[in-house]
Amino acid sequence: SMGGAAVLDLAASLGSSKPVRGVAAIAPWNGITDAATPSSVAGNIKSPVLLFCSKMDQLCPCSGEVGAATGAGQTWASDVLFNTIFAGRTKDWFGGVDAIFDAAAARGGGVNTTLVELSRGGHFAMAGIGRKQLEDLGRRMGQLRIVMDIGISAAEINTGTSVSETGGLVLRVTTAFLEETLRGDETEFVDAMRDVSSEEDAVTIRTGTGE
């Protein structure tokens, strides 16, 4: 989320000054206000871009208001928490991940942009992080129970498959993308995208080259 946004901002700021071979961002957060939102600068990235989002992500959904699909932020307690942490941001993160894709896909020069939209998997599930890991982390950090509950709910939205399978899918596609952009091996990425495309009920793939 925040890391994905930072990677996109960095790649955009480097532009052509330093070679960036490829940029992969999982559930990038488009709600930052004290720096450039990724959607406002994604058009400056000169390398291929791979994005992931989940329609069931409670924190950084593909589009729409935070929690609209899952209920996060809809109770008074979680709404107060969200408004405290994310004060000053729009609740749709300025168009969300879809807005980042649209900006990157509009680039000229035939540079590839790929967005993998999942219909399952909460924010943490895309990284293969499940309930027990979040509970353990919350205890170590001394977090309030409400913070843990919101995080755990985000990880547990995973209809039809396990957290490890969702995380494994994201990992395989990301690794294959990096193999292509860093080593020039297109085979694994083509195979991974074909396998993902076969899961028609769970995944939507959008691509753009700006041409």
Side-chain angles (χ1 to χ4, degrees):
S1 46
M2 293 183 181
V7 165
L8 291 163
D9 277 4
L10 176 60
S13 68
L14 291 175
S16 300
S17 64
K18 293 185 179 180
V20 176
R21 302 289 292 277
V23 181
I26 302 169
W29 183 44
N30 199 45
I32 192 169
T33 57
D34 49 1
T37 57
S39 62
S40 70
V41 297
N44 299 327
I45 299 174
K46 305 301 182 184
S47 59
V49 172
L50 172 66
L51 304 169
F52 289 91
C53 69
S54 171
K55 296 175 182 178
M56 298 302 287
D57 188 330
Q58 292 194 350
L59 301 178
C60 297
C62 300
S63 61
E65 287 195 0
V66 175
T70 60
Q74 304 305 305
T75 66
W76 71 266
S78 58
D79 189 51
V80 168
L81 179 65
F82 270 64
N83 287 334
T84 300
I85 297 174
F86 301 117
R89 281 82 170 179
T90 64
K91 285 195 173 182
D92 68 348
W93 299 153
F94 306 104
V97 183
D98 281 355
I100 300 173
F101 169 79
D102 290 340
R107 298 173 295 168
V111 183
N112 290 328
T113 303
T114 303
L115 170 60
V116 180
E117 289 189 347
L118 306 176
S119 62
R120 62 180 185 233
H123 191 69
F124 298 101
M126 284 187 283
I129 299 172
R131 187 182 193 90
K132 186 178 185 305
Q133 291 164 294
L134 285 173
E135 288 177 339
D136 291 344
L137 178 62
R139 291 191 194 96
R140 290 197 299 270
M141 295 178 65
Q143 292 296 318
L144 295 174
R145 180 69 190 185
I146 188 174
V147 176
M148 292 175 61
D149 286 345
I150 290 174
I152 289 169
S153 295
E156 291 300 295
I157 299 296
N158 213 46
T159 305
T161 190
S162 70
V163 168
S164 61
E165 288 176 347
T166 298
L169 180 153
V170 172
L171 177 60
R172 184 189 173 195
V173 173
T174 302
T175 302
F177 170 78
L178 295 175
E179 287 284 347
E180 176 181 336
T181 56
L182 298 178
R183 300 183 181 179
D185 180 3
E186 298 181 7
T187 305
E188 286 199 29
F189 188 57
V190 170
D191 289 346
M193 296 306 291
R194 183 177 61 245
D195 291 345
V196 169
S197 298
S198 67
E199 300 185 31
E200 297 179 5
D201 62 330
V203 178
T204 300
I205 297 173
R206 299 173 60 190
T207 59
T209 58
E211 293 183 327

